[in-house]
RNA sequence: UCCCCGAUGGUGUAAUGGUAACACACCGGUUUUUGGUGCCGUUAUUCCAGGUUCGAGUCCUGGUCGGGGAACCA
């Protein structure tokens, strides 16, 4: 009745094809107008940015239409799954900003029901126990374009199948000795419809059901039925399951259960990134990165540690859209999403990464002033703070050069610059070591140029960040670059060959504003003129904070 | 060989038979006590061939190219 209510919600983003389908379903009264989605991770690894897109799609669409989303762990293969992954997944999803009303679903909760479904199939003559080996079954499968051949066990009676399936369940069959197969069509053009295996024997302890079961359902026999049991209306998944949809529907029809509907969309790919759990695991195992949450990893935990905000990831997911064509998103869009978010929220502070001495010769030696610094020019409510200024300062080595052209706005012989929130200073001279590295720069300041009460009339082109030497705190800073030097790391053979050897640069002896010694985990900072940074909770030690660079500032300087 | 899906600027996404648009990237200008932000602007797009139609990115046919498809994985 409220067909205009969704229109009243302002939403500049164009509707994607799934949204359009849902709208059509609602207006046609399908599923009683309900929208109920699910996110079904297998707890066998950490979630990555690709999963974040899937989460935003399934949770986001349900939320948009006033529906619900079930978090369901698809735990039908106990060999690969564990509680550790369950917990990590829950943490990542709730950090992303989605909740599941305290209800957690597990496919393993339906093992009994699924077993009964299998029995029902047997009694309808639609499933049979096959005694052949995996190799024999594979050999009979045929090939695309060539039909397979029927198993000799395909004609067993329902009674015999029931008895044998019961024995499988009772643990009287060895692993690999027998499987239960759906009886569909060995000549079907879709290979998945050629009598797929639906139950196999595994004498493996399950992280939730323990030793209760020795037979476990295959994905195709578990997923659609679980959707159906939960009365999921829109089961959204990635393109790789398109070929599974006929099977998904076949089981629902054969079992005559709630008709959940599967719709597929393209998964996220990012350039300069790999997105496969198996390959990410290899990076961890071979020590290329320090763990799943290494700030260079595209995992949600890695992005979090890197300093990505949940908001920026949600915005990114919205920006990339949902469609069926394979895509490769430019990482710059992810980076833009972060900058756009943090520009509004991050606290501006000053930090000098590669410090050299800056001495203000005409500033009294014993004098110290507190300067008023704006915390965030994008947000007046963020207020101001006081920072100490004195005769001896630290400045960025990169901000001084001896030989310069007219495009150089920073300090150099003969040049004048503004020290942010402080005074305008003029070059006097500089000192070098034996290797010719500049170690110290001497300047004079203009006393009437104090920030906020400048009457000097001097308009320097450049503004430099700085830290007062006396009160500066020591910090370590980690600069990250993309993990791979190739846009498509997997394109030319082994992705390990495409690794960027300079993806991590550790800077020690950095000088930061006093307030940063009290930096809290999860606070977003902008180090003025340098980029966005956040405290690394793993490497920081009392008295020696470690900051991760989340993303640099956009650098418009072409010099 | 067969089946399924897809093809719109550099990268993505819209346009649902009626002016091909938006974002990011790029380039240029402007503002600026961050070479950031903001603001303004430039460049650049419908895979090919037929057909239907007054009119096709959209519908039909054929082709080309790309992705997926045989696990007791999900």
């Amino acid at each position: 009745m409220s067909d205009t209510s969704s229109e009243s919600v302002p939403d500049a983003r164009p509707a994607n094809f799934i949204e359009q389908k849902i709208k059509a379903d609602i207006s046609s009264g399908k599923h009683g107008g309900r929208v109920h989605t699910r996110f079904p991770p297998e707890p066998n690894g950490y979630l990555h940015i690709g999963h974040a897109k899937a989460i935003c799609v399934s949770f986001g669409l349900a939320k948009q239409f006033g529906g619900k989303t079930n978090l369901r762990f698809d735990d039908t293969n106990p060999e690969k799954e564990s509680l550790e992954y369950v917990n990590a997944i829950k943490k990542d999803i709730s950090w992303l900003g989605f909740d599941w009303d305290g209800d957690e679903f597990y496919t393993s909760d339906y093992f009994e029901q699924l077993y009964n479904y299998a029995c029902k199939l047997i009694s309808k003559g639609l499933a049979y126990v096959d005694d052949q080996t995996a190799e024999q079954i594979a050999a009979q499968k045929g090939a695309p374009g060539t039909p397979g051949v029927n198993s000799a066990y395909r004609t067993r009676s329902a009674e015999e199948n029931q008895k044998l399936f019961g024995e499988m369940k009772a643990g009287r069959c060895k692993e690999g000795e027998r499987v239960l197969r759906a009886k569909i069509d060995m000549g079907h053009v879709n290979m998945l419809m050629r009598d797929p295996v639906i139950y196999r024997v595994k004498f493996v302890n399950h992280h939730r059901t323990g030793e209760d079961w020795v037979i476990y359902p295959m994905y195709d026999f578990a997923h659609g039925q679980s959707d159906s049991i939960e009365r999921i209306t829109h089961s959204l998944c990635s393109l790789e399951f398109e070929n599974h949809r006929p099977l998904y529907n076949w089981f629902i029809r054969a079992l005559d259960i709630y008709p959940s509907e599967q719709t597929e969309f393209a998964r996220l790919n990012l350039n300069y990134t790999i997105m496969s759990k198996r390959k990410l695991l290899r990076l961890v195992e071979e020590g290329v990165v320090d763990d799943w949450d290494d700030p260079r990893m595209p995992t949600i935990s890695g992005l979090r540690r890197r300093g990505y905000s949940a908001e920026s990831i949600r915005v990114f997911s919205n920006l990339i859209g949902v469609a069926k064509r394979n895509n490769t998103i430019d990482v710059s869009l992810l980076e833009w999403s972060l900058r756009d978010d943090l520009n509004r929220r991050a606290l501006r502070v000053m930090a000098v990464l590669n410090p050299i001495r800056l001495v203000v010769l005409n500033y009294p030696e014993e004098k110290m002033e507190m300067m008023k610094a704006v915390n965030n020019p994008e947000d007046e409510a963020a207020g101001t703070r006081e920072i100490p200024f004195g005769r001896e300062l630290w400045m960025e080595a990169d901000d001084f050069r001896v030989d310069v052209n007219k495009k150089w706005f920073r300090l150099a012989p003969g040049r004048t610059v503004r020290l942010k929130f402080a005074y305008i200073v003029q070059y006097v001279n500089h000192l070098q070591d034996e290797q010719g590295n500049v170690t110290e720069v001497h300047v004079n300041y203009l006393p009437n140029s104090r920030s906020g009460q400048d009457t000097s009339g001097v308009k320097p082109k450049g503004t430099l960040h700085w830290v007062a030497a006396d009160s500066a705190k020591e910090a370590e800073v980690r600069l990250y670059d993309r993990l791979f030097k190739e846009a498509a790391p997997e394109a030319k053979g082994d992705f390990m060959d495409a690794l960027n050897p300079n993806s991590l640069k550790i800077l020690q002896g950095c000088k930061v504003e006093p307030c940063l010694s009290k930096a809290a985990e999860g606070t977003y900072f902008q180090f003025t003129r340098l980029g966005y940074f956040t405290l690394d909770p793993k490497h920081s030690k009392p008295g020696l904070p470690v900051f991760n660079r989340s993303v640099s500032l956009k650098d418009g300087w072409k010099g």
Side-chain angles (χ1 to χ4, degrees), chain A residues 269-321:
Chain A
N269 297 294
L270 271 182
N271 60 9
Y272 297 99
T273 310
I274 56 170
M275 210 72 88
S276 130
K277 278 191 211 171
R278 209 187 75 248
K279 289 172 181 168
L280 293 174
L281 177 62
R282 202 174 141 202
L283 295 175
V284 174
E285 283 177 339
E286 298 190 19
V288 173
V289 295
D290 67 27
D291 206 343
W292 283 96
D293 67 350
D294 186 291
R296 293 165 292 179
M297 291 282 269
T299 50
I300 294 177
S301 52
L303 292 166
R304 178 168 59 231
R305 192 172 148 203
R306 171 83 169 249
Y308 270 78
S309 61
E311 164 80 5
S312 72
I313 293 174
R314 277 186 262 119
V315 166
F316 171 75
S317 297
N318 246 312
L319 244 29
I320 59 180

Side-chain angles (χ1 to χ4, degrees), chain A residues 534-548:
Chain A
T534 198
L535 194 74
D536 186 302
K538 268 199 177 173
H539 294 301
S540 292
K541 290 190 268 297
L544 186 62
V546 175
F547 292 97
N548 291 325

Side-chain angles (χ1 to χ4, degrees), chain A residues 2 15 26 48 53 61 122 162 166 172 217 284 296 298 428 436 456 472 480:
Chain A
S2 54
I26 290 173
H48 53 60
K53 170 186 178 179
L61 248 18
I122 290 172
Q162 209 66 261
R172 289 200 285 276
V284 174
R296 293 165 292 179
V428 176
S456 70
Y480 300 100

Side-chain angles (χ1 to χ4, degrees), chain A residues 50 71-72 79 93 142 193 295 304 315 328 339 345 350 494:
Chain A
L71 169 61
R72 180 169 76 231
E79 273 166 84
I93 297 173
M193 299 292 272
R304 178 168 59 231
V315 166
T328 303
R339 289 193 189 104
R345 320 159 48 185
M350 294 205 280
D494 190 359

Side-chain angles (χ1 to χ4, degrees), chain A residues 128-319:
Chain A
Y128 62 98
V129 172
D130 197 327
D131 297 359
Q132 298 181 105
T133 64
E135 293 68 35
Q136 288 170 315
I137 291 173
Q140 286 180 345
K141 205 108 202 189
T146 332
V149 304
N150 288 351
S151 165
Y153 300 95
R154 199 173 199 263
T155 51
R156 287 220 254 229
S157 69
E159 293 69 32
E160 189 183 5
N161 283 319
Q162 209 66 261
K163 182 178 127 268
L164 292 172
F165 187 46
E167 286 179 9
M168 284 169 62
K169 178 181 187 255
R172 289 200 285 276
C173 298
K174 293 198 285 282
E175 284 188 23
E177 193 181 338
R178 291 195 233 267
V179 292
L180 185 69
R181 291 227 259 168
K183 191 191 285 187
I184 307 179
D185 179 1
M186 290 304 290
H188 204 285
V189 289
N190 183 337
M191 297 289 294
L192 293 166
M193 299 292 272
R194 322 246 261 226
D195 290 11
V197 171
I198 58 177
Y199 262 96
R200 76 288 212 194
V201 175
K202 270 183 200 285
F203 288 92
V204 176
N205 187 282
H206 186 283
H207 69 99
R208 298 192 80 241
T209 61
E211 311 285 338
D212 291 354
W213 294 88
V214 297
I215 55 170
Y216 292 96
M218 297 288 289
Y219 167 84
D220 283 307
F221 195 71
H223 200 92
Q225 287 92 316
S226 301
D227 285 347
S228 183
I229 290 167
E230 294 171 15
R231 303 182 81 73
I232 299 300
T233 58
H234 301 266
S235 182
L236 313 177
C237 64
S238 53
L239 252 27
E240 56 184 314
F241 293 102
E242 254 174 336
N243 293 316
H244 293 248
R245 179 152 33 94
L247 234 199
Y248 181 105
N249 292 333
W250 191 89
F251 285 127
I252 283 178
R253 223 172 295 130
L255 262 9
D256 192 28
I257 54 179
Y258 187 82
S260 299
E261 219 183 324
Q262 172 178 303
T263 302
E264 313 84 11
F265 62 93
R267 60 164 10 125
L268 164 68
N269 297 294
L270 271 182
N271 60 9
Y272 297 99
T273 310
I274 56 170
M275 210 72 88
S276 130
K277 278 191 211 171
R278 209 187 75 248
K279 289 172 181 168
L280 293 174
L281 177 62
R282 202 174 141 202
L283 295 175
V284 174
E285 283 177 339
E286 298 190 19
V288 173
V289 295
D290 67 27
D291 206 343
W292 283 96
D293 67 350
D294 186 291
R296 293 165 292 179
M297 291 282 269
T299 50
I300 294 177
S301 52
L303 292 166
R304 178 168 59 231
R305 192 172 148 203
R306 171 83 169 249
Y308 270 78
S309 61
E311 164 80 5
S312 72
I313 293 174
R314 277 186 262 119
V315 166
F316 171 75
S317 297
N318 246 312
L319 244 29

